[in-house]
Every structure is written in structure tokens, then in C-alpha cells.
Amino acid sequence: MNWTKAIEDAIAYIEKNIAEDLTVSEIADQVNLSAFYFHKGFSMLCGYTVTEYIRMRRLSLAGGELLSSEIRVIDLAMKYGYDSPDSFTKAFTRFHGSTPRDVRRNGALLKAFAPLHIKLSLDGGTVMEYKIKEKDAFRVMGVSRMFSYEDANTKIPEYWDEIYVQAEEKLVMGTYGICFDEEMAGNQFRYMIADDYKAGEAEAKNLEVYEVPKHTWAVFPCKGPMPLPLQEVNRRIFSEWFPASRYEIAEGYNIEYYSDPADYQKGTQDPEYYAEVWIPVKEK
């Protein structure tokens, strides 16, 4: 899989259909990727989520149309996927810093957001540690919730805060954060905060039990105060490792392993804190 080519094709499809009702899963299907890994890879390579990119492109185009035509605000709102002129005006004002009325009547400044273009640049050249690990099926126990690709980046940290940080009684210690998207289709995936399965404890706490299938995993170590090292490793997986490796994603799973914060003087903010990213892979 050529990630650069896939993202280029995805951007071209978005631009061609910018006024249509686009979804992450639909775009991912056009470039033959799972919705989960397309969403993740796009964010890592481009610096925006797919949804953010589409929103900013639409608002940029709407600003241009507002100046160059007599189109009504209500028609602009409908064209670019807003339910009402009010919701469109709020989004337009947040993006451009001026209302549509100010732009049209008073010549207020607009902001332009150009389409992304992928350029080949000399990158890499640094050591990236990883190992390929064959692992039999294993069971985990925990709690899970369905998330939409569109808002997962903000909702999953809130879920951790709810289940692990703020909870008076911690049902799980949070050894793993696991994304499940076995069918690799649709606009949602399941995310589980989990520990290794312990007979009796799962039943006593009424925890969900799930068996992660046997796979070949690419395992990437992360060290340092969270979450920056984890974010940087994820970025490099998609921008450096996958393009240069002989592997591609095999299934719709993604696992983040977290060591016990109690083992470190400063917990997850300790310079030596250790975590891992696991991705199921197969040879191209």
C-alpha cells in the first residue's frame, strides 16, 4: 500500500465531491483502506482529521462564492451541508473571523484554505525501533463504547477521563486501549479500555471479555512523558515506516499498551515512562 498515493487519491475524491454528503468510510472505500486506518493515517500525514479538512475547505469555498456571486446565504448553507443559515453563519464566522453579512456588505477579509498537495520530501534517515511479533490469540477484559470516526480524537480522551481518571471505583487499570473495526467498514468503531483477562474478576466486575485473534504484529516502543511520544510514534509509523517497509495493515485492530504508572516516579509524565503501539500486519 502506497500511503502517499492513497492520501493523494482521497484528497482528489474529496475535492471532486466537496459539496456532497461525504463520510470517512465512503472516502476510505474509494482508496481501498479501512476507515479506521485511513482516518488515523490522514491525520498523521496531513495534520488535520478528514472531517476538519472537509469543513475548512467548504468554508473557504463558501467565502469565495459569497464574494463572487449573488448566491443567498441560505443556499450556501444548504450547498455545503449545514442544516440552517444560523449554523452556517456561526461556522463561517469562527473560520473567517467575520460574518457573511460583513464580508458581502463591508468587504471584510476572508481566509483561504487551499487543497492539500502531497509533496515527496527527503525524510527518515533516523532510527525507528520496532519488532515483528507473532502472538497467539489472547483475551482481554474491560469496558467499551462505540465511537464515530468524525469525533473520535476528542471523544476517546474524554472516555478515558470518565472511566479511568474521574471514576471513584476503577473497574480497569487501563493496560490497553484497543480499537476494534473487524469489518473495516462503516462510520463507527469500538474502543475498549482493557486489561489482561483474569478469570473470576471479569465476571465479578461485570466486565466485557474479548478475544483478540492471533496475528503478526508490528510493535513500536514509545518512551517519555505522555502523550507526545505516542503521538510522534504514530505519525512516524504512517509517514516513514509503512512507506518504507514490506508490510501493510492486515486487520482492523490497533492496540496501545501502557505500562503501570505506579512503577514510575512521575507516573505517565516520567521521562522513562514506557508504552507501545501494536498494529496487525502482513507482507505486501
Side-chain angles (χ1 to χ4, degrees), residues 117-133:
H117 294 284
I118 306 299
K119 294 182 178 179
L120 181 63
S121 61
L122 187 61
D123 204 350
T126 57
V127 174
M128 186 173 188
E129 294 182 335
Y130 74 96
K131 60 184 175 181
I132 300 299
K133 183 176 182 179

Side-chain angles (χ1 to χ4, degrees), residues 8-278:
E8 285 179 339
D9 290 348
I11 292 170
Y13 181 80
I14 291 170
E15 292 300 319
K16 184 178 179 180
N17 299 277
I18 193 67
E20 304 299 324
D21 184 19
L22 293 169
T23 64
V24 172
S25 59
E26 175 194 348
I27 301 166
D29 188 58
Q30 293 294 320
V31 294
N32 299 312
L33 295 174
S34 77
F36 173 76
Y37 278 109
F38 168 67
H39 185 270
K40 193 176 185 70
F42 189 100
S43 299
M44 293 299 106
L45 290 174
C46 301
Y48 309 99
T49 67
V50 182
T51 306
E52 287 170 340
Y53 177 76
I54 293 171
R55 176 179 57 80
M56 289 190 287
R57 281 293 296 140
R58 285 174 172 170
L59 290 170
S60 178
L61 292 169
E65 284 195 53
L66 193 70
L67 280 182
S68 63
S69 72
E70 297 299 320
I71 189 170
R72 298 183 304 167
V73 171
I74 188 172
D75 294 329
L76 267 181
M78 296 300 108
K79 178 177 180 178
Y80 289 109
Y82 289 87
D83 296 331
S84 69
D86 286 344
S87 62
F88 171 74
T89 296
K90 289 178 182 177
F92 187 97
T93 304
R94 283 195 299 269
F95 180 75
H96 289 287
S98 303
T99 66
R101 179 188 293 261
D102 285 339
V103 170
R104 180 163 275 173
R105 291 189 177 182
N106 304 320
L109 292 174
L110 290 170
K111 293 179 181 176
F113 182 77
L116 287 170
H117 294 284
I118 306 299
K119 294 182 178 179
L120 181 63
S121 61
L122 187 61
D123 204 350
T126 57
V127 174
M128 186 173 188
E129 294 182 335
Y130 74 96
K131 60 184 175 181
I132 300 299
K133 183 176 182 179
E134 302 286 343
K135 187 172 177 63
D136 290 333
F138 65 101
R139 302 175 82 187
V140 295
M141 61 182 188
V143 293
S144 72
R145 185 174 294 173
M146 296 298 294
F147 289 91
S148 165
Y149 289 111
E150 279 75 6
D151 59 10
N153 285 3
T154 57
K155 294 299 183 182
I156 287 179
E158 291 174 3
Y159 187 49
W160 271 94
D161 190 64
E162 172 192 338
I163 297 299
Y164 185 75
V165 179
Q166 301 296 333
E168 293 184 5
E169 179 184 0
K170 290 183 173 59
L171 295 175
V172 290
M173 295 305 298
T175 304
Y176 304 106
I178 307 177
C179 297
F180 301 101
D181 187 2
E182 296 95 328
E183 296 181 1
M184 297 199 290
N187 289 313
Q188 291 186 317
F189 66 96
R190 182 171 297 280
Y191 183 84
M192 189 177 198
I193 300 175
D195 295 330
D196 289 307
Y197 174 75
K198 294 180 181 177
E201 183 175 337
E203 292 74 16
K205 293 183 176 180
N206 198 30
L207 297 174
E208 301 170 41
V209 177
Y210 191 93
E211 183 169 283
V212 179
K214 178 180 178 179
H215 273 301
T216 300
W217 299 87
V219 180
F220 302 88
C222 313
K223 183 182 286 188
M226 295 291 124
L228 291 181
L230 201 63
Q231 293 170 350
E232 177 62 9
V233 165
N234 271 302
R235 184 193 68 79
R236 294 184 64 196
I237 288 171
F238 289 94
S239 65
E240 297 177 29
W241 191 80
F242 268 124
S245 79
R246 67 176 191 271
Y247 295 99
E248 63 183 7
I249 295 162
E251 296 286 348
Y253 296 94
N254 182 270
I255 299 177
E256 292 177 351
Y257 162 79
Y258 301 97
S259 54
D260 188 346
D263 293 338
Y264 300 87
Q265 186 175 2
K266 296 182 179 180
T268 60
Q269 296 306 298
D270 196 278
E272 297 299 315
Y273 184 77
Y274 183 79
E276 292 176 343
V277 175
W278 297 16

